[in-house]
Amino acid sequence: MFHVQEHEQMQDLVTAALAAARERDRDVADVPLTAIAAAAGVSRSTLLRRLGGSRGALDEAVRRAGIDPGGRRPVRERAIEAAAQLAAERGLGAMTLDAVAERAACSLPSLHTVFDGRDGLLGAVYERYGPLPDLEALATDPPERLEDTVQALYRAVITAFDREPRVLPTIFADLFSRPDGPAARAMRAYLPRLYDSLARLLLPHVESGRIRPLPLPILVQLLLGPLVTHTLLRPVLEPVRGADLPPVNEACELFAEAYLRAVTWRE
């Protein structure tokens, strides 16, 4: 009976440790004992007493539960990086949770705990390697001139496509081939944030009368469609004799000029 009680207490501590780790987005090994004690509803001294004075007992119990307690870079960081590498090297189909767990040196249950499945992991990869963080940062301190705003938007998109590992072309390839696939689901989850950033960058110029009052989705498609298409096709066209593609920076300037002609009032 005594051993059963001890086992149940340890299971409660493991549950508390995992909850505290999820709340802080860290490995269990990186969560302070005071935070684990608070999650378990006990004092730190009581927690240490139940652990026999050593944190190692808790880490071992977490391992027995099928979860890596960590102590290295957080599972989340390792898994996002591993998933992006697999997708860039071998395509989105190779980005299985088993393959990610093996490359990230973590357990499969820990991936389910941190990301809530493969779609959650893919969403985290898109957020890390896509243009969204740069666009949100730009929207918090936008340039005053519309021309500078459009140029900055294009630089953010090009930077995202060139970011290593180059996972964004793989995501778009899956998006175009499977409109209801995992890439589409991941992108839809972030569309509200993407549109919010673009609205904050473009709509003030609509209100000022510089941009014609077109629906925001049309403004966004006119903005991103040509550049994304050019970027995706560029590796195919570059070896073609007579393609004569301009350098990337020059192409951005040409697309920006074309966009401004399309959406602004002609003077």
Side-chain angles (χ1 to χ4, degrees):
M1 182 69 179
F2 179 73
H3 291 296
V4 171
Q5 186 178 8
E6 275 189 336
H7 176 73
E8 291 176 349
Q9 287 180 346
M10 183 59 75
Q11 290 301 109
D12 290 342
L13 295 182
V14 168
T15 300
L18 293 177
R22 281 194 301 270
E23 181 180 350
R24 289 160 178 78
D25 195 17
R26 298 182 181 180
D27 283 350
V28 171
D30 296 326
V31 178
L33 285 178
T34 51
I36 295 174
V42 299
S43 67
R44 186 176 184 277
S45 59
T46 300
L47 173 64
L48 281 171
R49 186 171 64 252
R50 291 182 181 176
L51 295 176
S54 170
R55 179 168 187 145
L58 177 60
D59 290 343
E60 183 56 36
V62 171
R63 286 191 187 91
R64 288 197 301 270
I67 297 172
D68 181 5
R72 297 166 289 173
R73 289 171 59 211
V75 168
R76 181 180 181 83
E77 297 297 316
R78 303 200 314 270
I80 290 174
E81 184 177 299
Q85 290 171 349
L86 285 166
E89 293 168 6
R90 294 155 46 192
L92 211 58
M95 201 200 80
T96 65
L97 289 183
D98 287 326
V100 172
E102 181 178 357
R103 180 168 292 202
C106 64
S107 69
L108 195 58
S110 67
L111 291 183
H112 284 285
T113 299
V114 173
F115 296 105
D116 193 24
R118 185 172 183 263
D119 283 1
L121 174 57
L122 180 57
V125 169
Y126 175 71
E127 181 171 12
R128 172 71 57 81
Y129 293 96
L132 185 58
D134 292 335
L135 294 181
E136 288 183 330
L138 182 62
T140 61
D141 186 22
E144 290 185 9
R145 298 174 66 245
L146 175 59
E147 292 82 355
D148 296 335
T149 297
V150 174
Q151 288 281 0
L153 281 166
Y154 281 152
R155 284 195 298 272
V157 173
I158 289 295
T159 297
F161 271 95
D162 285 342
R163 188 172 289 136
E164 293 291 345
R166 298 186 73 250
V167 68
L168 204 55
T170 300
I171 290 177
F172 271 91
D174 186 82
L175 174 67
F176 292 145
S177 64
R178 295 188 292 173
D180 293 323
R185 292 194 295 269
M187 195 167 289
R188 287 192 196 104
Y190 289 95
L191 276 179
R193 289 170 56 188
L194 177 68
Y195 269 79
D196 177 68
S197 296
L198 293 172
R200 289 158 61 192
L201 289 164
L202 297 177
L203 291 187
H205 297 285
V206 175
E207 294 166 359
S208 71
R210 182 72 199 281
I211 293 180
R212 292 189 289 137
L214 299 171
L216 181 61
I218 299 300
L219 287 175
V220 171
Q221 290 166 19
L222 287 171
L223 176 75
L224 298 181
L227 181 64
V228 169
T229 301
H230 172 82
T231 305
L232 291 172
L233 290 178
R234 192 176 181 95
V236 177
L237 295 176
E238 279 179 332
V240 176
R241 194 172 177 180
D244 295 329
L245 293 176
V248 173
N249 289 340
E250 185 179 336
C252 283
E253 293 176 2
L254 293 172
F255 281 120
E257 182 181 348
Y259 180 72
L260 292 171
R261 287 181 178 179
V263 302
T264 58
W265 294 107
R266 295 181 181 178
E267 298 177 356

